[in-house]
Amino acid sequence: MFKKGQKVKLKLTHQIMEVIGFEPEFIENILTEWEDDEGTIIKGKFMDAELEPVE
């Protein structure tokens, strides 16, 4: 299971994101955010099976 503040990425990609929260009542329940190349903060929701920890 992931924890808040942990660095993760989508499987088969190189985009590193940070876990910022959880919504246990939804299937896509892991809230993440990351900064794109232009400095824009982007937020997303993913299922835990879509993510893997960054070591």
Side-chain angles (χ1 to χ4, degrees), residues 5-23:
Q6 182 176 6
K7 300 291 185 195
V8 296
K9 69 179 185 117
L10 283 171
K11 292 181 178 177
L12 305 175
T13 70
H14 299 288
Q15 180 62 58
I16 296 176
M17 303 173 277
E18 180 177 341
V19 176
I20 59 168
F22 302 93
E23 292 182 336

Side-chain angles (χ1 to χ4, degrees), residues 27-52:
I27 292 173
E28 291 183 330
N29 68 337
I30 299 176
L31 306 176
T32 63
E33 76 176 16
W34 65 97
E35 189 173 328
D36 71 8
D37 295 334
E38 298 173 0
T40 304
I41 300 294
I42 302 168
K43 295 185 181 191
K45 289 171 66 172
F46 301 96
M47 296 185 321
D48 58 356
E50 296 177 284
L51 299 172
E52 59 187 28

